[in-house]
Amino acid sequence: IMFAYIKELRSQLDAAGLVHTRIIAPDSFVASAETLAREILKDPDLRSAVGGLGVHGGPASSTSSATWQTGLPLFASEDGSTYGDAAGALLRVAQCHQEHIASFSQGSNFWNPFGSYYPGLPFYGHSLMDAHQPWSSHYLVRSPIWAAAHQCQHTEIGWWFVSNGTLELADSCGSMITVVSPNRTDFTTVIVKDDLAGPQWAAPPRCAPEQAEFVLQGHLAQIRQVALWVSTVNSTDGSPLRMFHRQPDIEVTNGKFTVVIPVNSILTVTSLVHTGSKGSHPAPAPSAPFPVPWVEDFDSYPHNGSSIARYLSDMSGGFEVTGCDSRTGGVLRQMVPQIPIGWFALTADTVPYTILGAADWADLAVTADVHLSTTSQSLGWIAARMGGNPECDGPSPICSHPWGLYAVLDNQAGLGSTWQLRVHLRASSLMDPSASLLNLSFPLHPTAHHW
């Protein structure tokens, strides 16, 4: 953790007039948050620079006493790696609840609300919505967006968590979280009850519907009616049955009312009877495969160094359309001059690359004009059948250096006389000629475009 960087960032934000912008750090796992907390207790300047402790994937009950001693709020600074189906909607709410119950987490930053990256990449399908076909305008609204509606549509910034309205349900089959308005006249309770133990939908049912009695006290006892919003999931196959449906309002008698909680459901009970809306949207355009054959000469873009090419998705580095020094027309140029710092323990990609197409492509032909520097080492390469890295864990790993079939053109440290054409299987080896499957050396004209 770069403690000096955090303090310098705070100083520059203040100098720019952004005194109310808070820094949530370190957006790493629990151990790193505890390390930062211990340093904060020793460094008053660091304490004043940090506005909250952020834990990647959510805080846990193992959070140390140092974390509590700082007095800083805890946040799930990157959350939401549940799949974007109906079961994922249940798990999304359960995840947020557990983070608050275990460590009093104050909020969750959902990653990522809108997925516009190609299928086959890590964590594809984990978004609230998908829109990854700009050529067809197709998009997909996923079930977890209604989980977000359950959690967000019936509260406001400044509402408070209520400890006696926050608890786990019987047999560890779910949980509820309650928030109240600052004047204690309104409340919202979100309930999730899931039966997802063991392999999804394969384990015998262990949870049963239950009835919950609510007893309102203080100013809340004046409430006469509450609204009920319900989402339910098919316990047989995990498909959505109904998502974010408004049910008949419930009458409150002498400060009491009851609610039936089905298995595999999300419920929102709220005194805000005039808020909440599911809305509607027109049917999306039909899905379509990537348009082939595909040709791009980059001549139709403004050559101002800030245009992004259609359909290309940068994985490492930054590719922009700009003018060419040696001919008329536009080119796609890699603009990042150095390898970035990898997040946490992950190593940054050692070479920049951008992708397009489809993960299920098999046989294909690709041609490209490539111009390399003759004054410093540079590579030009095309890869096909790119996929996950078997050196990483899991079927959809968070991992750099994807495997595939790489054809590499290397100018041999900028000598400009003898260049190499090589074939590699992994991106991490592209700079190493000895790791290639095929290596051909031949002279090339130093100002020509090749491939």
Side-chain angles (χ1 to χ4, degrees):
I1 303 173
M2 295 177 285
F3 305 123
Y5 174 83
I6 294 174
K7 290 188 284 188
E8 178 62 24
L9 177 60
R10 177 72 274 159
S11 175
Q12 294 199 23
L13 288 172
D14 292 346
L18 302 174
V19 295
H20 298 297
T21 300
R22 300 166 66 187
I23 296 175
I24 309 300
D27 186 37
S28 190
F29 298 113
V30 171
S32 295
E34 293 172 352
T35 298
L36 177 59
R38 289 191 291 270
E39 190 67 21
I40 284 172
L41 294 175
K42 298 184 294 183
D43 187 341
D45 291 336
L46 185 61
R47 170 62 180 84
S48 62
V50 177
L53 296 173
V55 179
H56 190 91
S61 56
S62 60
T63 307
S64 70
S65 59
T67 304
W68 302 114
Q69 291 174 30
T70 65
L72 292 169
L74 282 168
F75 295 92
S77 50
E78 183 175 326
D79 221 348
S81 297
T82 54
Y83 192 72
D85 57 8
L90 296 176
L91 293 173
R92 172 64 189 148
V93 177
Q95 183 183 39
C96 289
H97 284 196
Q98 190 56 41
E99 289 164 358
H100 179 74
I101 292 171
S103 61
F104 298 103
S105 171
Q106 300 297 295
S108 175
N109 180 33
F110 187 88
W111 180 92
N112 54 65
F114 305 101
S116 293
Y117 46 97
Y118 282 112
L121 292 172
F123 291 110
Y124 171 76
H126 290 247
S127 308
L128 303 183
M129 294 181 64
D130 281 332
H132 63 267
Q133 293 185 359
W135 53 86
S136 73
S137 299
H138 175 74
Y139 66 91
L140 177 64
V141 179
R142 293 186 174 274
S143 294
I145 200 169
W146 307 120
H150 274 284
Q151 295 175 298
C152 301
Q153 284 203 19
H154 310 282
T155 185
E156 297 287 345
I157 295 174
W159 282 37
W160 293 81
F161 291 100
V162 180
S163 58
N164 61 358
T166 299
L167 50 88
E168 295 200 33
L169 303 183
D171 300 321
S172 299
C173 288
S175 57
M176 66 170 62
I177 297 287
T178 299
V179 293
V180 297
S181 60
N183 59 9
R184 302 295 196 272
T185 59
D186 285 297
F187 81 98
T188 293
T189 297
V190 179
I191 307 168
V192 60
K193 188 179 185 69
D194 65 82
D195 195 4
L196 301 179
Q200 187 173 327
W201 316 115
R206 63 183 181 87
C207 303
E210 60 184 292
Q211 183 170 282
E213 182 183 51
F214 287 72
V215 179
L216 306 181
Q217 299 177 338
H219 293 301
L220 296 180
Q222 302 176 21
I223 295 172
R224 296 292 177 261
Q225 199 172 47
V226 295
L228 175 64
W229 296 78
V230 177
S231 295
T232 53
V233 178
N234 190 318
S235 297
T236 302
D237 60 9
S239 60
L241 294 177
R242 53 182 176 178
M243 303 303 291
F244 200 57
H245 275 227
R246 177 79 178 260
Q247 305 300 298
D249 290 350
I250 301 173
E251 299 297 324
V252 180
T253 304
N254 299 323
K256 297 181 180 180
F257 65 94
T258 59
V259 173
V260 175
I261 308 173
V263 177
N264 293 323
S265 66
I266 307 169
L267 280 67
T268 296
V269 183
T270 179
S271 62
L272 302 179
V273 296
H274 299 298
T275 65
S277 173
K278 185 171 183 178
S280 61
H281 62 85
S287 176
F290 187 92
V292 289
W294 178 78
V295 178
E296 177 63 87
D297 58 15
F298 307 109
D299 289 342
S300 62
Y301 304 86
H303 299 160
N304 54 13
S306 60
S307 297
I308 305 299
R310 286 180 292 269
Y311 308 161
L312 288 167
S313 180
D314 298 350
M315 297 291 101
S316 178
F319 293 79
E320 298 176 358
V321 178
T322 185
C324 182
D325 298 333
S326 59
R327 65 169 176 83
T328 59
V331 296
L332 185 71
R333 177 173 293 173
Q334 203 290 114
M335 308 295 283
V336 178
Q338 65 185 55
I339 298 173
I341 298 171
W343 175 79
F344 191 58
L346 300 179
T347 303
D349 283 291
T350 53
V351 292
Y353 63 101
T354 187
I355 66 172
L356 84 163
D360 59 355
W361 280 357
D363 297 331
L364 66 156
V366 182
T367 61
D369 289 336
V370 178
H371 182 69
L372 301 181
S373 169
T374 58
T375 59
S376 61
Q377 184 176 19
S378 57
L379 302 177
W381 52 277
I382 294 175
R385 301 187 181 183
M386 296 177 68
N389 187 337
E391 295 174 347
C392 299
D393 295 329
S396 182
I398 307 174
C399 189
S400 302
H401 317 304
W403 284 37
L405 187 64
Y406 293 81
V408 182
L409 188 64
D410 186 351
N411 71 345
Q412 286 291 281
L415 298 178
S417 56
T418 302
W419 293 11
Q420 289 185 341
L421 178 63
R422 303 194 300 268
V423 177
H424 293 250
L425 282 180
R426 61 187 75 181
S428 58
S429 72
L430 298 189
M431 302 292 287
D432 181 9
S434 66
S436 63
L437 300 179
L438 175 67
N439 191 328
L440 301 175
S441 297
F442 51 91
L444 289 177
H445 192 277
T447 61
H449 294 260
H450 303 281
W451 200 268

